[in-house]
Amino acid sequence: QVQLVESGGGLVQAGGSLRLSCAASGRSLRGHAVAWFRRAPGNEQDFVAAMKRNADNTYYADSVKGRFTISRDNAKNTVYLQMNSLKPEDTAVYYCAVDPNTILSQLRNPGAYDHWGQGTRVTVSS
C-alpha cells in the first residue's frame, strides 16, 4: 500500500508561483502512473496533469498547459507540480494520485487511480 502526502500549497497573488510536492511511502512510484487533480468549491474533481507509468510523457488540462509542469523524482519517490502564472481560477484543493495499472487512455479519469493524498489547498488572490 502506498501513502501519499502533499505539501506546498498556500496563498499567492495572481501571477505568482507555487510548487506542490507529493511524497510517497510504502512503495516505489516506479511503474506507477502519477497525476494531479483539483477540486474547486462547488466543482467536481478536475484533471490537471499526469505522467504515464515507466515514461516521462506528460499530459495537461488545456486550462493549465504552458503554465504548470508535472515531474517526478524516482530517487526521492516524489511527484511535483510546478505552477506558474497562477490565476484566481486555479484556486482549489490539489490532490495527487498514483496507480500502477492506469493506462494512457485513463490518465485523466480520477476513477482510474486507487491511491490518493489528503490534498493541499491553493488560494490565488486577484
Side-chain angles (χ1 to χ4, degrees), residues 23-96:
S25 60
R27 184 175 293 181
S28 171
L29 291 183
R30 292 180 188 272
H32 284 65
V34 298
W36 289 93
F37 291 83
R38 67 187 181 186
R39 187 192 298 272
N43 287 7
E44 295 184 350
Q45 203 160 34
D46 293 328
F47 169 76
V48 175
M51 297 181 73
K52 289 173 52 178
R53 54 186 179 176
N54 298 321
D56 292 333
N57 306 71
T58 56
Y59 305 86
Y60 298 95
D62 288 343
S63 58
V64 307
K65 200 172 296 183
R67 299 188 298 121
F68 291 11
T69 303
I70 185 173
S71 63
R72 62 198 300 170
D73 185 332
N74 288 329
K76 295 183 178 180
N77 219 28
T78 300
V79 182
Y80 302 99
L81 185 69
Q82 177 67 44
M83 306 187 295
N84 299 327
S85 303
L86 282 160
K87 305 175 181 180
E89 51 264 43
D90 294 319
T91 295
V93 178
Y94 284 71
Y95 300 88
C96 67

Side-chain angles (χ1 to χ4, degrees), residues 37 47 102 105-113 116:
F37 291 83
F47 169 76
T102 304
S105 62
Q106 292 295 313
L107 283 179
R108 298 168 186 261
N109 176 11
Y113 297 85
W116 291 81

Side-chain angles (χ1 to χ4, degrees), residues 13-27:
Q13 288 188 330
S17 298
L18 285 174
R19 188 176 81 156
L20 306 184
S21 299
C22 175
S25 60
R27 184 175 293 181

